[in-house]
Amino acid sequence: MIERYSRPDMKRVWSDENKFSKWLDVEIAVCSAWTEHGRIPRASLDKIKQAHCDLDRMQEILAETHHDMTAFLGSIADSVGPDARYIHLGLTSNDVMDTALSLQLVEASKILLDDLKELTTAVAVLAIKHKHTIAIGRTHGIHAEPTTFGLKLAIWFEELQRHRRRLEEAARVIAYGKISGAVGTYATVPPEIEEMTCAKLGLEPAPVSNQILQRDRHAQFVTTLALVGASLEKFATEIRLLQKTESREVEEPFQEGQTGSSAMPHKRNPELCERICGMARLLRGYAVTAMENVSLWHERDISHSSAERIILPDATLLLDYMLDIFTKVIRGLNVYPENMQNGLDITRGLVFSQRVMLALIDKGISRQEAYKFVQRNAMKSWSTGEKFLTLLEADEELMARIGKEELKAIFDYRFYLEHVDTIFRRLGLTEAQWKDCDTLKDARLAPGAI
């Protein structure tokens, strides 16, 4: 991943230093298990525990062998001496590489789960703040009925909660190791060595394996990241649409001195949200590649290996960056309730059309007839620009069926707020339920901080 989109903690997970440190952790854990099993002398294990990987020396050996694992083993052997003969005892390369990769993915998962918690909290805080900030709802891009900006965010909050559970499950599925030999038969390394090794590393032993951990695990992990990215794209797209000049209901942060366009000094573009949308496309591509990696020849080939060197680091680096950027967008989002009100008023009361129709039905009129009464006046309002209520009041046939004051009472935006509190209570998004919401409780914010 390019430097611009790489955050330090996730970069460290995928650094060569961390990767080969994990390889060494696996080798030492296996040697420790062999020692407990009586195969490796305790004195030899003490020397093996002092082993280290010299990356420069590894590169020298790699230039000759063209094999990562033999180069790695040659490098650490130099630091151990004769007792290095016990290192990698009975193992195949992927016993070490796949188990170490699982450790890296577990590390990456922890960072991403923290990122998700931060974003979920930011969305929750903004949702509660704008719980009753009324705005127009749109279907097909056309004004429908009023909603609130907080309800939009409440939907995001609950979606992020689902992603948190998905990522926790994906992290659990990937937290497996395998120390089972060349094709998974344990012919050269018994199952108890695998069990002991995995316990030392904080992993579960794969119940069955061949030369590798099966790649449906990795596909589930990357697909989960892509799903999170798809939601971030959804959220970012909504902000982009609401930021359009014609409505400008919200606006992503824009710092003093920031430039929106080299040609037009007035521009304030939603470039952060656009960036997120572009990156989500990459994540979906990585998910496809991860699924392609599931099918390998017989007990294993290496067609997946080259792809994984790119997609696993890049997918985690990308999502880490996307979550951080979108959290900053949410925390700094400019919200313009006055423009939301202007949007509500732009159709001159047409948003109340369903309420008028339902009121007529309550008077005993058939739905079809009530629909016609309302629609003919609504279409006239569209074409003439006259207020919907004015046209209804001038419709003698309709007014013969409903009182004038009753009709006027229908045109009240507060009607659409009646059940908002109920929805928020369901989600734990009220101050009274603050302590019961796991995400908010775990966040570094005190109850009542809103």
Side-chain angles (χ1 to χ4, degrees), residues 239-355:
I239 290 174
R240 291 169 60 194
L241 289 168
L242 295 178
Q243 187 169 332
K244 289 193 300 182
T245 307
E246 294 85 344
S247 54
R248 197 168 173 246
E249 295 181 15
V250 303
E251 186 178 53
E252 71 175 39
F254 194 88
Q255 299 175 348
E256 184 177 351
Q258 184 175 338
T259 299
S261 165
S262 64
M264 296 168 283
H266 71 278
K267 295 280 279 181
R268 291 163 67 106
N269 302 325
E271 58 95 6
L272 296 175
C273 288
E274 289 172 336
R275 194 182 307 170
I276 287 167
C277 292
M279 289 176 170
R281 299 167 189 168
L282 281 175
L283 282 178
R284 286 194 288 275
Y286 293 155
V288 171
T289 303
M291 286 186 279
E292 296 279 355
N293 284 345
V294 173
S295 177
L296 303 175
W297 284 18
H298 303 300
E299 278 59 57
R300 177 229 179 183
D301 62 56
I302 62 167
S303 60
H304 66 293
S305 177
S306 56
E308 284 181 355
R309 289 172 192 265
I310 298 169
I311 66 171
L312 295 179
D314 278 13
T316 53
L317 281 159
L318 264 182
L319 187 58
D320 176 47
Y321 178 83
M322 292 167 69
L323 288 166
D324 178 63
I325 287 292
F326 197 65
T327 300
K328 290 173 181 174
V329 168
I330 292 297
R331 285 178 175 159
L333 192 68
N334 298 306
V335 181
Y336 302 113
E338 65 278 11
N339 289 343
M340 293 180 182
Q341 185 61 53
N342 291 338
L344 283 163
D345 296 338
I346 199 170
T347 56
R348 301 166 299 280
L350 287 175
V351 294
F352 297 103
S353 67
Q354 181 175 200
R355 288 204 67 202

Side-chain angles (χ1 to χ4, degrees), residues 52 54 57-58 60-61 71-81 84:
H52 65 272
D54 184 324
R57 175 61 179 146
M58 184 177 171
E60 290 177 7
I61 302 171
F72 168 76
L73 293 171
S75 169
I76 62 175
D78 290 347
S79 70
V80 175

Side-chain angles (χ1 to χ4, degrees), residues 34 39 89-92 95 180-182 185-190:
W34 274 124
R39 182 76 180 272
L89 190 65
L91 305 186
T92 189
D95 285 329
S180 57
T185 62
Y186 300 100
T188 56
V189 53

